[in-house]
Amino acid sequence: MDPSVEQLRRRLESAGQRHVLQFWPELSEEERAAFLQELAQLDLQWLKEHCDGATRAAAAPPASLDRHIEPVPPEIIGGVKRSDSGCLSEWEREGLLQVSESRVGVLLLAGGQGTRLGVQYPKGMYDVGLPSGKTLYQIQAERIHKVQELAARKFGSACTVPWYIMTSEFTLAPTERFFQENNYFGLEPSNVVMFEQRMIPAVTFDGKVILQGKGKIAMAPDGNGGLYQALVDSQVLEDFGRRGVEYLHVYCVDNILVKMADPVFIGFCVSKGADCGAKVVVKADPAEPVGVVCRVRGVSQVVEYSEIGPESAGLRGPGGELVFSAGNICNHFFTRSFLQEVAAKFEVQLKQHVAIKKVPFVDSCGNQVKPSEPNGIKMEKFVFDVFPFSRNFVVFEVVREDEFSPLKNAAGAAADTPTTARNSLLTQHCRWAAAAGATLLDGRGNAFHPAASVSADPPQFEISPLVSYFGEDLQPLLNGRTLQTPFVLDGNRAKELQVAQSRV
């Protein structure tokens, strides 16, 4: 055996990972070179600590924070229903002003695959079955177009909202290819910046690195909290500075209702002098499995639903409202200076979270195995774990039906499926049309009267984000009209309606 390989074997053995090279004699020269390159990127002392830490964390009982939590104080909370219309208008104006001066960027967390959806490509490429056939990526790109247009129209200055997309080893290449094939959905390619988060080894319950292949370690993205290290690794923080971006809107890819660079949210945070902010929705019920934005020992943070007992989760205030109601939806505001400070001082302090997963592996005989039960530990950091480092943290509460409908599960699951995501968007668009004075007819010719809640079978009526960002500018197009669905109100249809209106 090559002396350098023998030395590597001894170092792996001292790290408790002697099995990693068990199939070395069966590998081709090309496979050996690739494997050595992969192993060279691992600090073996760090690897030992990582594996030992993963097994300890997985075996530890869930933390209970009931005695230490309190709701966030009302003075740091604003919201669509909590705040008066004058404040909301002022915050929207402030947000649009910041957008118009190209001081706002959006940052998408897109490192995960669509495995739970039953697909092997990035979630952003998923088509939930809208009449237009648009994917999540296209919807989000068009919302960026529109918010730029709204800001430019209001303040008379051309502007750019750069789109930063954090990918992983799994999603970078297909995402790049998808954007190229779709001409970046009309955005300037130089304003779409893709970068990659780190990958870390998956570990067995007894602390061994999992081999995905005979010459390949099973790796996984380091969670959406890997963002802060990735900003440094890829020099994205420097890119913010070069472009003059001072405020970042950070969000997860799977929310079909996300308001890109939301002017109201941006304006609220800027007006409050916040360095960090979180959008929340009121929890649907005490048992809803979402984290809660609250305070622990006086410090703002997100507490996972598993860390709050049912008694605390079910506590209600004088009006019957949940005391711990601020459901986290992974929709955040950060200043550039705060992100720089996190990267320089606090990233190493971020908590590691345990995810127990089914990890494909090769057994001791070299057979590929796709486990039916969880067999491995993936350690993750969460993007919200920087909240405790904020000097001025704020919370903005939004209406679930308007802003939060995640796509997480394949068709047939109880919630968060392509059907629920599609129905959420279509119902929202039906509400906008009704508010603009239109009557929509469903497939049977019956008038549809949208409610505040999501319809289980809304008419196939869709509004392109290029026509309206959040329901604005629709009345001149739709007032007094009766529209038979399916109907997609895109740019061409909007021009036809404008022409028809001018003839009346």
Side-chain angles (χ1 to χ4, degrees):
M1 181 178 285
D2 185 304
S4 62
V5 176
E6 182 57 38
Q7 183 182 25
L8 175 60
R9 186 191 296 278
R10 287 197 297 270
R11 291 176 60 217
L12 284 166
E13 186 168 357
S14 68
Q17 307 297 325
R18 63 179 299 174
H19 68 289
V20 168
L21 292 178
Q22 65 182 304
F23 299 109
W24 184 261
E26 301 177 35
L27 301 180
S28 67
E29 288 301 318
E30 186 178 344
E31 289 169 333
R32 288 179 178 183
F35 199 20
L36 286 176
Q37 184 176 8
E38 179 181 52
L39 293 172
Q41 295 173 17
L42 292 175
D43 178 325
L44 295 188
Q45 179 58 39
W46 170 88
L47 182 64
K48 184 178 190 308
E49 294 169 0
H50 169 70
C51 293
D52 292 345
T55 53
R56 283 196 306 271
S64 176
L65 298 174
D66 290 43
R67 290 182 299 165
H68 308 292
I69 61 173
E70 57 186 351
V72 287
E75 59 266 25
I76 71 167
I77 306 177
V80 173
K81 289 188 173 180
R82 287 174 174 263
S83 307
D84 64 57
S85 59
C87 287
L88 293 172
S89 296
E90 193 55 42
W91 293 334
E92 181 178 41
R93 185 186 185 282
E94 177 65 32
L96 286 172
L97 174 62
Q98 298 300 332
V99 171
S100 76
E101 295 178 348
S102 299
R103 290 161 63 85
V104 178
V106 290
L107 198 158
L108 166 60
L109 305 172
Q113 294 171 292
T115 310
R116 283 168 60 185
L117 279 172
V119 299
Q120 295 304 312
Y121 51 81
K123 275 188 184 179
M125 294 165 54
Y126 197 88
D127 169 9
V128 301
L130 293 170
S132 66
K134 290 177 182 176
T135 61
L136 296 179
Y137 279 146
Q138 182 171 356
I139 293 167
Q140 292 168 18
E142 292 181 356
R143 287 181 185 146
I144 292 175
H145 275 289
K146 191 62 177 179
V147 79
Q148 290 176 161
E149 178 192 311
L150 292 173
R153 186 199 308 171
K154 188 169 186 68
F155 291 99
S157 57
C159 58
T160 297
V161 175
W163 194 5
Y164 298 93
I165 303 177
M166 185 177 79
T167 64
S168 69
E169 177 185 298
F170 299 142
T171 62
L172 177 59
T175 300
E176 286 181 328
R177 190 163 54 247
F178 190 70
F179 272 72
Q180 291 163 0
E181 290 169 352
N182 288 278
N183 298 312
Y184 290 81
F185 306 102
L187 295 170
E188 174 60 45
S190 63
N191 294 327
V192 180
V193 180
M194 297 184 196
F195 61 104
E196 198 170 344
Q197 69 183 112
R198 290 186 177 183
M199 304 287 285
I200 56 177
V203 181
T204 63
F205 297 126
D206 59 352
K208 304 301 181 187
V209 166
I210 295 175
L211 289 178
Q212 175 183 314
K214 293 181 179 180
K216 174 72 175 170
I217 290 176
M219 305 288 279
D222 56 354
N224 56 31
L227 167 67
Y228 308 107
Q229 185 62 55
L231 291 177
V232 175
D233 292 345
S234 302
Q235 299 184 310
V236 173
L237 287 171
E238 288 85 347
D239 191 84
F240 296 162
R242 283 193 296 271
R243 295 173 186 266
V245 171
E246 297 296 335
Y247 308 114
L248 278 300
H249 176 210
V250 177
Y251 70 100
C252 273
V253 68
D254 58 10
N255 181 12
I256 197 170
L257 299 181
V258 63
K259 292 175 68 179
M260 311 288 288
D262 176 13
V264 181
F265 181 44
I266 298 293
F268 167 73
C269 294
V270 172
S271 297
K272 297 295 183 182
D275 56 5
C276 177
K279 268 192 186 184
V280 300
V281 297
V282 175
K283 284 184 65 173
D285 58 71
E288 184 181 10
V290 296
V292 173
V293 180
C294 60
R295 283 190 170 178
V296 178
R297 301 181 181 91
V299 178
S300 297
Q301 64 184 72
V302 173
V303 172
E304 288 297 282
Y305 62 92
S306 60
E307 298 174 322
I308 305 179
E311 186 174 340
S312 296
L315 285 176
R316 294 189 180 271
E321 73 284 358
L322 288 173
V323 171
F324 297 104
S325 64
N328 177 50
I329 60 173
C330 196
N331 196 314
H332 309 313
F333 166 93
F334 300 116
T335 63
R336 175 165 66 96
S337 59
F338 178 69
L339 290 175
Q340 288 173 324
E341 189 174 26
V342 167
K345 298 180 183 178
F346 303 125
E347 196 280 333
V348 294
Q349 300 178 38
L350 292 184
K351 179 182 176 182
Q352 293 273 3
H353 299 263
V354 173
I356 304 300
K357 300 285 187 178
K358 301 174 188 174
V359 183
F361 67 99
V362 290
D363 63 19
S364 58
C365 298
N367 301 311
Q368 289 281 346
V369 180
K370 192 172 183 180
S372 57
E373 298 293 332
N375 66 311
I377 307 163
K378 294 181 179 180
M379 300 301 291
E380 302 174 329
K381 294 178 180 179
F382 291 161
V383 66
F384 54 69
D385 280 333
V386 298
F387 291 178
F389 307 122
S390 169
R391 291 186 179 88
N392 189 8
F393 177 75
V394 295
V395 175
F396 193 72
E397 184 181 287
V398 297
V399 177
R400 181 187 297 258
E401 290 77 12
D402 286 335
E403 297 202 36
F404 184 55
S405 184
L407 175 63
K408 296 186 180 299
N409 303 314
D416 303 338
T417 65
T419 299
T420 61
R422 180 178 67 249
N423 288 347
S424 294
L425 189 69
L426 295 177
T427 301
Q428 180 186 64
H429 290 183
C430 289
R431 286 198 301 269
W432 292 354
T439 299
L440 300 179
L441 304 181
D442 63 21
R444 297 174 293 278
N446 300 317
F448 177 75
H449 303 286
S453 58
V454 175
S455 171
D457 186 25
Q460 300 292 294
F461 178 76
E462 182 184 353
I463 301 172
S464 167
L466 298 175
V467 174
S468 184
Y469 175 79
F470 197 64
E472 79 290 335
D473 298 334
L474 294 176
Q475 190 165 4
L477 298 173
L478 300 179
N479 188 35
R481 293 190 177 278
T482 299
L483 302 174
Q484 178 66 58
T485 59
F487 191 99
V488 177
L489 181 56
D490 57 15
N492 291 330
R493 280 285 181 86
K495 288 176 183 176
E496 291 172 7
L497 292 175
Q498 286 173 331
V499 171
Q501 189 71 20
S502 67
R503 292 174 179 165
V504 176

